[in-house]
Coordinates of all heavy atoms in Angstrom, one line a residue:
D1 N 170.2 116.7 68.7 CA 169.0 116.1 68.1 C 168.2 117.2 67.5 O 167.4 117.8 68.3 CB 168.3 115.3 69.2 CG 167.1 114.5 68.6 OD1 166.6 114.8 67.5 OD2 166.7 113.5 69.3
N2 N 168.3 117.4 66.2 CA 167.6 118.5 65.6 C 166.0 118.3 65.7 O 165.3 119.3 65.7 CB 168.0 118.7 64.2 CG 169.4 119.2 64.1 OD1 169.9 119.9 65.0 ND2 170.1 118.9 63.0
S3 N 165.6 117.1 65.7 CA 164.1 116.9 65.7 C 163.6 117.3 67.1 O 162.4 117.7 67.2 CB 163.8 115.4 65.4 OG 164.3 114.6 66.4
R4 N 164.4 117.1 68.1 CA 163.9 117.5 69.5 C 164.4 118.9 69.9 O 164.1 119.4 71.0 CB 164.4 116.5 70.5 CG 163.8 115.1 70.3 CD 164.2 114.1 71.4 NE 163.6 114.6 72.7 CZ 164.4 115.0 73.7 NH1 165.7 115.0 73.6 NH2 163.8 115.3 74.8
K5 N 165.3 119.5 69.0 CA 165.9 120.8 69.3 C 166.6 120.8 70.7 O 166.3 121.6 71.6 CB 164.8 121.9 69.3 CG 164.2 122.0 67.9 CD 163.1 123.2 67.9 CE 162.6 123.3 66.5 NZ 161.6 124.4 66.4
V6 N 167.5 119.8 70.8 CA 168.3 119.7 72.0 C 169.7 119.5 71.7 O 170.1 118.8 70.7 CB 167.7 118.6 72.9 CG1 167.8 117.2 72.2 CG2 168.4 118.5 74.2
V7 N 170.6 120.0 72.5 CA 172.0 119.8 72.3 C 172.6 119.2 73.6 O 172.1 119.6 74.7 CB 172.8 121.2 72.1 CG1 174.3 121.0 71.9 CG2 172.2 121.9 70.9
H8 N 173.5 118.3 73.5 CA 174.0 117.6 74.6 C 175.5 117.8 74.7 O 176.2 118.1 73.7 CB 173.8 116.1 74.6 CG 172.4 115.7 74.5 ND1 171.5 115.8 75.6 CD2 171.6 115.2 73.5 CE1 170.3 115.4 75.3 NE2 170.3 115.0 74.0
L9 N 176.1 117.7 75.9 CA 177.5 117.8 76.1 C 177.8 116.6 77.1 O 177.5 116.7 78.3 CB 178.0 119.1 76.7 CG 179.5 119.2 76.9 CD1 180.2 119.3 75.5 CD2 179.8 120.5 77.7
R10 N 178.4 115.6 76.5 CA 178.8 114.5 77.3 C 180.2 114.7 77.8 O 181.2 114.9 77.0 CB 178.8 113.2 76.5 CG 179.3 111.9 77.2 CD 178.3 111.5 78.3 NE 178.8 110.3 79.0 CZ 178.1 109.7 79.9 NH1 176.9 110.1 80.2 NH2 178.6 108.6 80.5
M11 N 180.4 114.7 79.1 CA 181.7 115.0 79.7 C 182.2 113.8 80.5 O 181.5 113.3 81.3 CB 181.5 116.2 80.7 CG 180.9 117.5 80.1 SD 180.8 118.8 81.2 CE 179.7 118.2 82.4
S12 N 183.4 113.4 80.1 CA 184.0 112.2 80.7 C 185.3 112.6 81.3 O 185.9 113.6 80.9 CB 184.1 111.1 79.7 OG 182.9 110.7 79.2
N13 N 185.8 111.7 82.2 CA 187.1 111.9 82.8 C 187.2 113.3 83.4 O 188.2 114.0 83.1 CB 188.2 111.6 81.9 CG 189.6 111.6 82.5 OD1 189.7 111.3 83.7 ND2 190.6 111.8 81.8
L14 N 186.2 113.7 84.1 CA 186.1 115.1 84.6 C 187.3 115.4 85.6 O 187.7 114.6 86.3 CB 184.8 115.4 85.3 CG 183.6 115.6 84.3 CD1 182.3 115.4 85.0 CD2 183.7 116.9 83.6
K15 N 187.7 116.6 85.5 CA 188.8 117.1 86.3 C 188.3 118.3 87.1 O 187.3 118.9 86.8 CB 190.0 117.6 85.4 CG 190.5 116.5 84.5 CD 191.6 117.1 83.6 CE 192.1 116.0 82.6 NZ 192.7 114.8 83.2
A16 N 189.0 118.6 88.2 CA 188.6 119.7 89.1 C 188.6 121.0 88.3 O 187.7 121.8 88.6 CB 189.6 119.8 90.2
E17 N 189.4 121.2 87.4 CA 189.4 122.4 86.6 C 188.2 122.5 85.7 O 188.0 123.6 85.0 CB 190.7 122.6 85.8 CG 191.1 121.4 84.9 CD 192.1 120.4 85.6 OE1 191.9 120.2 86.8 OE2 193.0 119.9 84.9
D18 N 187.4 121.5 85.5 CA 186.2 121.6 84.8 C 185.0 122.2 85.6 O 184.0 122.4 85.0 CB 185.7 120.2 84.3 CG 186.7 119.6 83.3 OD1 187.2 120.3 82.4 OD2 187.0 118.3 83.4
T19 N 185.3 122.4 86.8 CA 184.3 123.0 87.7 C 183.9 124.4 87.2 O 184.8 125.3 87.0 CB 184.8 123.1 89.1 OG1 184.9 121.8 89.7 CG2 183.8 123.9 90.0
A20 N 182.6 124.6 86.9 CA 182.2 125.9 86.3 C 180.7 125.8 86.1 O 180.1 124.7 86.3 CB 182.9 126.1 85.0
T21 N 180.1 126.9 85.8 CA 178.7 127.0 85.3 C 178.8 126.8 83.8 O 179.5 127.6 83.1 CB 178.0 128.2 85.7 OG1 178.0 128.3 87.1 CG2 176.6 128.2 85.2
Y22 N 178.0 125.9 83.2 CA 178.0 125.7 81.8 C 176.8 126.3 81.2 O 175.7 126.1 81.7 CB 178.1 124.1 81.6 CG 179.4 123.6 81.8 CD1 179.9 123.4 83.1 CD2 180.3 123.2 80.8 CE1 181.2 122.9 83.3 CE2 181.5 122.7 81.0 CZ 182.0 122.5 82.3 OH 183.3 122.1 82.5
Y23 N 177.0 126.9 80.1 CA 175.9 127.7 79.4 C 175.8 127.2 77.9 O 176.8 126.9 77.3 CB 176.2 129.2 79.3 CG 176.4 129.8 80.7 CD1 177.6 129.9 81.3 CD2 175.2 130.4 81.3 CE1 177.7 130.5 82.6 CE2 175.3 131.0 82.5 CZ 176.6 131.0 83.2 OH 176.7 131.6 84.4
C24 N 174.6 127.1 77.5 CA 174.3 126.8 76.1 C 174.1 128.1 75.3 O 173.6 129.1 75.9 CB 173.0 126.0 76.0 SG 172.6 125.3 74.4
H25 N 174.5 128.2 74.1 CA 174.5 129.4 73.3 C 174.2 129.1 71.8 O 174.7 128.2 71.3 CB 175.8 130.2 73.5 CG 175.9 131.4 72.8 ND1 175.0 132.5 72.9 CD2 176.8 131.8 71.8 CE1 175.3 133.5 72.1 NE2 176.4 133.1 71.5
V26 N 173.5 130.1 71.2 CA 173.4 130.0 69.8 C 174.5 130.9 69.2 O 174.5 132.2 69.5 CB 172.0 130.6 69.3 CG1 171.9 130.6 67.8 CG2 170.9 129.7 69.9
E27 N 175.4 130.3 68.5 CA 176.6 131.1 68.0 C 176.1 132.2 67.1 O 175.2 132.0 66.3 CB 177.6 130.2 67.3 CG 178.4 129.3 68.3 CD 179.4 130.1 69.1 OE1 178.9 130.7 70.1 OE2 180.5 130.2 68.7
R28 N 176.7 133.4 67.2 CA 176.4 134.5 66.4 C 175.0 135.0 66.7 O 174.4 135.8 65.9 CB 176.6 134.3 64.9 CG 178.0 133.9 64.6 CD 178.2 133.7 63.1 NE 177.3 132.6 62.6 CZ 177.7 131.3 62.7 NH1 178.8 131.0 63.3 NH2 176.8 130.4 62.3
G29 N 174.4 134.6 67.7 CA 173.0 135.0 68.1 C 173.0 135.5 69.5 O 174.1 135.7 70.2
A30 N 171.9 135.8 70.1 CA 171.7 136.4 71.4 C 171.2 135.5 72.4 O 171.1 135.9 73.6 CB 170.8 137.6 71.3
A31 N 170.9 134.3 72.1 CA 170.2 133.3 73.0 C 171.3 132.6 73.9 O 172.3 132.1 73.4 CB 169.4 132.3 72.2
W32 N 171.0 132.7 75.2 CA 171.7 132.0 76.2 C 170.8 131.3 77.1 O 169.6 131.6 77.2 CB 172.6 132.9 77.0 CG 173.7 133.6 76.3 CD1 173.7 134.7 75.6 CD2 175.1 133.1 76.3 NE1 175.0 135.0 75.1 CE2 175.8 134.0 75.5 CE3 175.7 131.9 76.8 CZ2 177.2 133.8 75.2 CZ3 177.1 131.7 76.5 CH2 177.8 132.7 75.7
G33 N 171.3 130.3 77.9 CA 170.5 129.7 78.9 C 171.0 130.3 80.2 O 172.0 131.0 80.3
P34 N 170.3 130.0 81.3 CA 170.7 130.5 82.7 C 171.9 129.7 83.2 O 172.5 130.1 84.2 CB 169.5 130.2 83.5 CG 168.8 129.0 82.9 CD 169.1 129.2 81.4
G35 N 172.3 128.6 82.6 CA 173.4 127.8 83.0 C 173.1 126.7 84.0 O 172.1 126.7 84.6

């Protein structure tokens, strides 16, 4: 949602192998979230 400056990741049919810390990132940039 560019107006709100937010990115979502809808995850369905989750599997055990999806267990992880998920991070948001600006591609080709330096910005990361804490996860």
Side-chain angles (χ1 to χ4, degrees):
D1 183 342
N2 289 333
S3 67
R4 298 185 64 247
K5 298 183 178 179
V6 62
V7 182
H8 301 289
L9 184 69
R10 178 70 180 186
M11 306 183 294
S12 299
N13 191 24
L14 284 162
K15 306 175 183 296
E17 52 262 41
D18 295 319
T19 295
T21 299
Y22 285 72
Y23 300 90
C24 187
H25 178 59
V26 178
E27 287 290 84
R28 299 181 299 280
W32 290 91

